[in-house]
Amino acid sequence: TGVQTCALPICVPDILACYQGRFFGIECKAKGNKTTALQDFNLSEIRAAGGASLVIDEFNVHTFKSILQESVK
């Protein structure tokens, strides 16, 4: 039908977290899936508000810890 849906009504990232006082929005993808335009918009809004946003998949999940630590420096 061409209608795009998300698990949550406003397409917030899959994981919302606070680590060492910094807000994170983390979108999880698998099997080469890409973020939607709405997901990209929401991730950019998080960055604009001073938070950090990440897209994690099976190719970069092993670097998540270092990405997280680098984001709070």
Side-chain angles (χ1 to χ4, degrees):
T1 62
V3 176
Q4 190 171 16
T5 62
C6 295
L8 295 173
I10 55 172
C11 285
V12 298
D14 295 315
I15 300 169
L16 298 176
C18 188
Y19 176 69
Q20 293 188 357
R22 185 133 192 228
F23 182 82
F24 285 84
I26 304 166
E27 186 62 41
C28 302
K29 293 295 177 185
K31 299 181 181 177
N33 289 329
K34 303 293 182 193
T35 54
T36 66
L38 184 54
Q39 288 169 330
D40 288 337
F41 173 78
N42 286 329
L43 293 172
S44 69
E45 289 290 292
I46 289 169
R47 286 189 302 274
S53 63
L54 309 166
V55 178
I56 299 295
D57 61 22
E58 63 270 28
F59 301 108
N60 68 355
V61 70
H62 65 282
T63 64
F64 176 69
K65 184 177 179 180
S66 62
I67 293 169
L68 187 67
Q69 290 172 335
E70 191 66 30
S71 295
V72 295
K73 285 186 176 180

